[in-house]
């Protein structure tokens, strides 16, 4: 939602696992195993196809469409084939790249930063958006964020805790916002 209004400006595609009796298995309980086994790629591709089909359907029906953020697992970055798959989906569904945002979690940046740069730059050059999720959760620093061309920085909510009562914290985050504004 746009701050100060009721206008929807974006969405995020999230996967949830519902048991037969109705309770949920939280992503923290199944995603790590899928990443270890490499099966996360299949799950992510399922989510991407679903998002592209949904956007195409909304466009065809003349309904409003907002950018949809999709998570990118660190497993994709081993061979970087993800962008080839996304290009296939863009061609198949005729979706403008402006409607897709790749969301990379902060924990992905503990390795070789330059490995991510071509993916981010090419996707952004095509009109897509790339965001860093969970900034401040403990892996990346401001230098990391400044070196990679992100469209959006999503601050981890744990860092916003007590922001109203902690003047130093408030000043720090105001500076971060001003830096990327």
């Amino acid at each position: 939602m746009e701050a100060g209004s009721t206008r929807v400006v974006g969405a995020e595609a999230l996967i949830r696992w519902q048991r037969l009796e109705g309770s949920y298995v939280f992503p923290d309980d199944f995603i790590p195993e899928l990443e270890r086994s490499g099966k996360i790629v299949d799950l992510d591709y399922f989510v991407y196809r679903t998002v592209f089909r949904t956007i195409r359907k909304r466009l065809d029906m003349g309904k409003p469409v907002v950018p949809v953020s999709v998570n990118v697992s660190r497993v994709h970055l081993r061979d970087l084939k993800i962008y080839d798959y996304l290009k296939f989906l863009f061609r198949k569904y005729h979706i403008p790249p402006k409607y897709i945002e790749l969301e990379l979690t902060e924990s992905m940046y503990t390795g070789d930063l330059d490995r991510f740069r071509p993916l981010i730059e090419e996707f952004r050059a095509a009109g897509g958006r790339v965001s860093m999720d969970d900034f401040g959760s403990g892996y990346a620093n401001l230098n990391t964020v400044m070196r990679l061309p992100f469209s959006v920085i999503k601050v981890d909510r744990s860092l916003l805790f007590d922001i109203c009562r902690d003047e130093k914290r408030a000043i720090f985050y105001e500076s971060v916002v001003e830096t990327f504004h």
Side-chain angles (χ1 to χ4, degrees):
M1 302 288 293
E2 183 179 63
S5 78
T6 58
R7 191 169 77 95
V8 176
V9 295
E12 182 174 2
L14 300 171
I15 194 79
R16 296 296 180 256
W17 178 357
Q18 187 175 16
R19 293 184 179 106
L20 291 176
E21 85 281 353
S23 67
Y24 286 93
V25 179
F26 293 101
D28 288 347
D29 295 331
F30 66 89
I31 296 293
E33 181 54 39
L34 291 174
E35 287 182 329
R36 273 191 293 282
S37 70
K39 300 274 186 210
I40 192 71
V41 172
D42 295 331
L43 180 61
D44 283 349
Y45 283 4
F46 167 78
V47 171
Y48 303 162
R49 284 189 309 273
T50 302
V51 167
F52 276 73
R53 269 195 311 266
T54 301
I55 291 173
R56 179 75 263 153
K57 185 176 180 181
R58 291 186 66 82
L59 288 169
D60 290 346
M61 294 171 63
K63 291 187 174 183
V65 177
V66 296
V68 178
S69 176
V70 295
N71 290 305
V72 177
S73 168
R74 73 187 84 201
V75 174
H76 290 290
L77 300 174
R78 291 180 188 154
D79 58 20
L80 297 177
K81 291 181 181 177
I82 181 176
Y83 194 49
D84 290 334
Y85 187 70
L86 289 169
K87 284 193 270 190
F88 162 76
L89 292 176
F90 282 118
R91 284 190 308 272
K92 179 177 180 177
Y93 292 100
H94 305 285
I95 302 297
K98 69 180 182 178
Y99 291 126
I100 301 295
E101 178 179 310
L102 300 181
E103 186 170 295
L104 309 172
T105 61
E106 183 192 30
S107 63
M108 296 172 84
Y109 307 103
T110 58
D112 181 15
L113 293 176
D114 292 325
R115 190 164 161 68
F116 303 110
R117 184 177 302 284
L119 170 74
I120 294 170
E121 288 176 348
E122 186 176 353
F123 191 71
R124 286 202 57 198
R129 295 168 27 148
V130 180
S131 65
M132 175 191 269
D133 193 23
D134 300 332
F135 174 71
S137 62
Y139 296 95
N141 56 38
L142 283 175
N143 186 44
T144 301
V145 176
M146 299 298 283
R147 286 177 55 200
L148 294 172
F150 292 105
S151 312
V152 177
I153 307 296
K154 297 180 179 182
V155 177
D156 188 74
R157 68 179 176 180
S158 67
L159 294 176
L160 299 176
F161 182 74
D162 276 347
I163 197 167
C164 294
R165 289 179 269 176
D166 184 338
E167 185 178 350
K168 284 183 185 178
R169 189 178 291 248
I171 291 169
F172 174 75
Y173 287 104
E174 185 177 322
S175 299
V176 170
V177 169
E178 286 300 317
T179 299
F180 297 103
H181 184 30

